[in-house]
Amino acid sequence: MVFLQFLLNGVMLGSAYTVVALGLTLMFSIMHIVNFAHGEIFMLGAYVCWVILTQVTGNYWVAFLLSMVIVFFIGMLVERLCFRPLYEKAHINMFIVSLGLVIVLQEAATLIWTGFGKSLNTGYKTVRRIGQIFITDERLIVIGGAVVLIVAALLFFQKARAGKAMRAAAQHRMGARMVGVDINRVSSLAFGVGAALAAAAGSLLGPLSMLTPTMGGTVVMKAFVIIILGGMGSIGGAIIGGYVLGIAESLFAGYAWSEWQPAVGFVILILVLSLRPQGLFGRG
Amino acid sequence: MEKAGLQRDYYIIIAVMVVLPLVLGGLKAGNFYLHVLIMLGIFTILGSGINLLMGFTGQASIGHAAFFGIGAYVSTLLMIKLNFPFWAALPLAGAAGAVSGLLIGYPSLRLKGISFAIVTFAFGELVKMIFVNWKGLTNGQDGLTDIPSPALWGINFAAKLPYTYLVMIFTLFALFLVDRIVNSRVGKAFISIREDEDLAASTGVNVMQYKILSFVISTFLAGIAGSLYAHYMHFINPADFTVAISMTLIAIVVIGGLGTILGPILGSLVLLFMPEVLRPVKDYYYLIFGIILIVVMIFAPVGIMGGLQALSRKKASGRTEAVSEGKAS
């Protein structure tokens, strides 16, 4: 039954990765931003949640939602200041700006919260037994919370007016503008939503390990592997890619060598690029 | 980029590189200045490679510290474990950088866009993991110590001055190499890829082949820089070759001026002198470095060199105006 245990762990990781990757793919498909600072936004979300939880209220869910809201606005600000001036320039410029943001956000977090790990304690530590497998409430919350966020995001893209405007902008920026979509508003909203999703993932995964200013680095890499695996800009691909990577990593770490777990992403990356470069669900 | 101007610059650069170590080495804090010069040289070699790839070919590698590290570890291990002389270990370190660049570039440079950047990033993590986990060879987190200095004709390369000249020679080599390439047919192909990949392909440029070539040259230079670094520091560990170093290298090139030959020197100067200038606010210095990177990219995408070139053009056009006015009167 150890297999089911690993599988459940993989589903948990995959759920959280998917939430991060959704925001990333949103920013890429609408604004062509390859946002390397997405992991730092994830980190920021976890820290904001920690600050609210320890200083303002003891309620994890209030802290979780407030962190999403605060980071949503920070995201809109970042889009306005750092990326909007560059939409008409070469895409590599935005990419380099995002690298600058990585440095700025990591350093700012180190100055404010020091490099020492902080623990985000939700209080949900009870261990449950489901058949043969054991799981803590914390981990169940990751799965449940992530699934709710993924479904909410899908509904938003399909049903909400702003979500439809985003899809239109992703299909054709100029075309969307011609039918009356306010492209600046959509870009700003898309960055905000993406940032809020990353923040939520940070608050979900944060309790499982220590918060550090560099915690976003590995997460952003996984998110990029996922969107390349799923196909750039494909939302369904990001979801499936997220679970594939999470489960593959978890099984590999469980059955093979845990210290080489990060290599799984690299191997998947090279295989996808060699065999199916457009990704599983890409349009080629 | 006018050829004549650059060739004139070369004599200046060579003169500076010959004289500067002697002058600085003679000062009171001579060893400190020589240390700065050596690091400046190593960063310039690394930066020149990244500049060829990013500034001239338009492809971003964010795992360059990995190739720098591969060069350092290969060179060190060849000398320590297999008793290779430095003069064999150094080119082999460059070759190791080039070969790993080829292996990584082949699958990832076939596509337009970001997959290449992501693969280099993932490769950076993988290589660091190997440095940490392959303890039998790399000694893990503790790193390798007592790395020997080069030896030749009884010159003591453990002293700072001879090593400074050694680094200067390779710095010059890197600058010269990049300049020659950029001003050749190959360089034109690189630039055409940077400007518009599809257009370049449609005019018959073998885009993938040229992208790989540009990448391999840059990883070769990173390997050389790694060897020079290892035998200077006499100690390397995985923390010397992290993603943060890769980012710093990109920042150097961008701040100095993407797509300019001398940009990497200026960017490295900024990096090395910032801790001195910003000593009162030294905790904030890396933060300020990041902010500079963003501001430069938004407001002055050609960096310091771009600014200097615009200035000199202004001056030149001012002069011609004065001349034509003189004619009119």
Side-chain angles (χ1 to χ4, degrees):
Chain A
M1 278 308 103
V2 70
F3 172 75
L4 281 180
Q5 188 78 49
F6 291 150
L7 193 66
L8 189 66
N9 201 36
V11 168
M12 181 209 68
L13 284 176
S15 309
Y17 294 165
T18 301
V19 174
V20 181
L22 274 182
L24 203 60
T25 202
L26 188 64
M27 292 172 185
F28 177 77
S29 49
I30 296 176
M31 291 92 85
H32 298 287
I33 300 175
V34 179
N35 184 21
F36 239 82
H38 208 60
E40 276 55 45
I41 297 174
F42 165 91
M43 174 271 293
L44 198 63
Y47 271 102
V48 171
C49 182
W50 174 80
V51 168
I52 297 170
L53 193 64
T54 52
Q55 323 262 314
V56 184
T57 163
N59 187 322
Y60 173 65
W61 295 104
V62 174
F64 178 89
L65 289 173
L66 274 178
S67 159
M68 274 183 80
V69 172
I70 292 170
V71 175
F72 172 81
F73 286 110
I74 294 177
M76 298 231 293
L77 190 71
V78 166
E79 187 273 341
R80 186 75 192 78
L81 292 178
C82 300
F83 292 106
R84 195 175 294 176
L86 295 172
Y87 287 150
E88 307 303 322
K89 307 261 172 66
H91 295 330
I92 198 172
N93 294 20
M94 287 198 283
F95 173 73
I96 294 168
V97 163
S98 85
L99 295 183
L101 276 173
V102 171
I103 299 176
V104 169
L105 292 175
Q106 272 188 16
E107 284 302 300
T110 313
L111 288 167
I112 301 171
W113 295 300
T114 75
F116 292 107
K118 300 266 188 278
S119 84
L120 181 59
N121 190 355
T122 60
Y124 295 107
K125 298 279 186 201
T126 322
V127 181
R128 293 185 188 275
R129 187 176 159 185
I130 306 162
Q132 300 280 317
I133 52 180
F134 295 89
I135 188 161
T136 59
D137 279 355
E138 249 170 19
R139 287 168 185 252
L140 283 174
I141 288 173
V142 175
I143 299 177
V147 169
V148 168
L149 286 167
I150 293 166
V151 171
L154 283 179
L155 284 174
F156 174 74
F157 294 133
Q158 293 301 329
K159 306 284 181 202
R161 220 181 135 70
K164 286 181 186 166
M166 282 183 194
R167 282 195 296 144
Q171 275 174 13
H172 202 289
R173 233 179 134 74
M174 189 56 111
R177 197 187 272 161
M178 272 152 67
V179 298
V181 172
D182 181 346
I183 214 84
N184 279 340
R185 223 184 109 250
V186 165
S187 303
S188 156
L189 197 62
F191 205 102
V193 169
L197 285 173
S203 306
L204 287 174
L205 274 188
L208 302 186
S209 57
M210 287 296 209
L211 309 190
T212 62
T214 53
M215 67 192 273
T218 50
V219 173
V220 76
M221 194 191 110
K222 292 181 205 306
F224 274 120
V225 172
I226 289 164
I227 61 175
I228 288 177
L229 174 63
M232 298 296 296
S234 159
I235 289 177
I239 296 173
I240 292 173
Y243 283 102
V244 168
L245 180 68
I247 292 168
E249 272 192 347
S250 173
L251 292 181
F252 181 83
Y255 285 112
W257 309 276
S258 59
E259 70 265 38
W260 293 98
Q261 186 193 354
V264 175
F266 181 76
V267 172
I268 290 181
L269 204 55
I270 294 293
L271 283 179
V272 171
L273 292 176
S274 309
L275 303 175
R276 198 179 157 78
Q278 72 273 37
L280 295 177
F281 302 93
R283 280 165 296 188
Chain B
M1 206 129 304
E2 313 86 82
K3 229 172 192 171
L6 264 174
Q7 269 162 4
R8 186 199 60 203
D9 287 347
Y10 269 124
Y11 296 119
I12 302 174
I13 295 167
I14 293 173
V16 168
M17 282 179 174
V18 171
V19 176
L20 204 60
L22 273 180
V23 174
L24 290 180
L27 293 176
K28 209 167 131 208
N31 274 345
F32 168 73
Y33 291 114
L34 291 181
H35 167 75
V36 171
L37 265 186
I38 290 172
M39 294 314 290
L40 184 72
I42 290 172
F43 278 127
T44 303
I45 297 169
L46 284 162
S48 295
I50 293 180
N51 195 21
L52 185 71
L53 181 69
M54 212 162 85
F56 289 104
T57 323
Q59 312 297 315
S61 157
I62 31 180
H64 240 63
F67 304 102
F68 181 44
I70 287 172
Y73 272 94
V74 164
S75 184
T76 301
L77 290 170
L78 284 176
M79 253 181 111
I80 292 181
K81 306 249 167 179
L82 299 175
N83 289 322
F84 272 52
F86 170 78
W87 309 104
L90 175 112
L92 286 171
V99 169
S100 37
L102 191 66
L103 290 176
I104 294 308
Y106 193 76
S108 61
L109 280 169
R110 292 199 299 176
L111 296 176
K112 219 167 92 169
I114 68 155
S115 37
F116 172 66
I118 310 301
V119 168
T120 54
F121 182 57
F123 183 67
E125 297 280 292
L126 182 81
V127 168
K128 209 193 128 196
M129 212 158 60
I130 293 172
F131 292 159
V132 171
N133 288 337
W134 194 351
K135 294 199 176 68
L137 196 65
T138 64
N139 205 21
Q141 297 278 16
D142 297 335
L144 297 165
T145 49
D146 298 322
I147 301 170
S149 290
L152 185 75
W153 304 318
I155 301 171
N156 178 17
F157 280 101
K160 283 242 162 51
L161 193 62
Y163 208 88
T164 310
Y165 279 113
L166 181 70
V167 172
M168 290 296 117
I169 288 169
F170 282 100
T171 308
L172 203 61
F173 164 73
L175 290 170
F176 193 73
L177 181 73
V178 171
D179 185 41
R180 287 283 96 169
I181 291 171
V182 166
N183 286 304
S184 71
R185 276 181 70 87
V186 176
K188 302 256 184 323
F190 287 174
I191 292 168
S192 75
I193 292 169
R194 177 189 72 188
E195 295 301 321
D196 191 330
E197 231 178 284
D198 297 327
L199 192 64
S202 74
T203 57
V205 173
N206 188 337
V207 169
M208 182 186 169
Q209 203 178 314
Y210 279 111
K211 282 200 289 190
I212 290 181
L213 180 64
S214 172
F215 183 48
V216 166
I217 295 168
S218 80
T219 58
F220 167 76
L221 287 174
I224 298 275
S227 173
L228 289 169
Y229 177 79
H231 299 283
Y232 170 63
M233 300 303 280
H234 306 295
F235 166 65
I236 51 172
N237 73 351
D240 294 340
F241 311 105
T242 56
V243 178
I245 305 290
S246 300
M247 302 245 180
T248 307
L249 292 172
I250 288 178
I252 284 175
V253 177
V254 171
I255 292 172
L258 271 176
T260 63
I261 303 288
L262 301 180
I265 304 182
L266 294 174
S268 310
L269 267 175
V270 171
L271 175 81
L272 288 167
F273 279 98
M274 262 189 37
E276 302 302 312
V277 178
L278 297 177
R279 199 178 286 263
V281 286
K282 75 174 195 308
D283 288 345
Y284 296 87
Y285 121 78
Y286 210 57
L287 178 74
I288 294 170
F289 197 60
I291 294 173
I292 294 178
L293 175 61
I294 296 175
V295 170
V296 163
M297 209 61 245
I298 294 176
F299 296 104
V302 209
I304 302 176
M305 269 313 278
L308 290 179
Q309 278 166 358
L311 262 180
S312 71
R313 231 174 290 143
K314 221 175 185 176
K315 238 164 129 190
S317 68
R319 215 179 294 138
T320 44
E321 263 170 41
V323 170
S324 57
E325 268 172 26
K327 267 183 188 165
S329 64

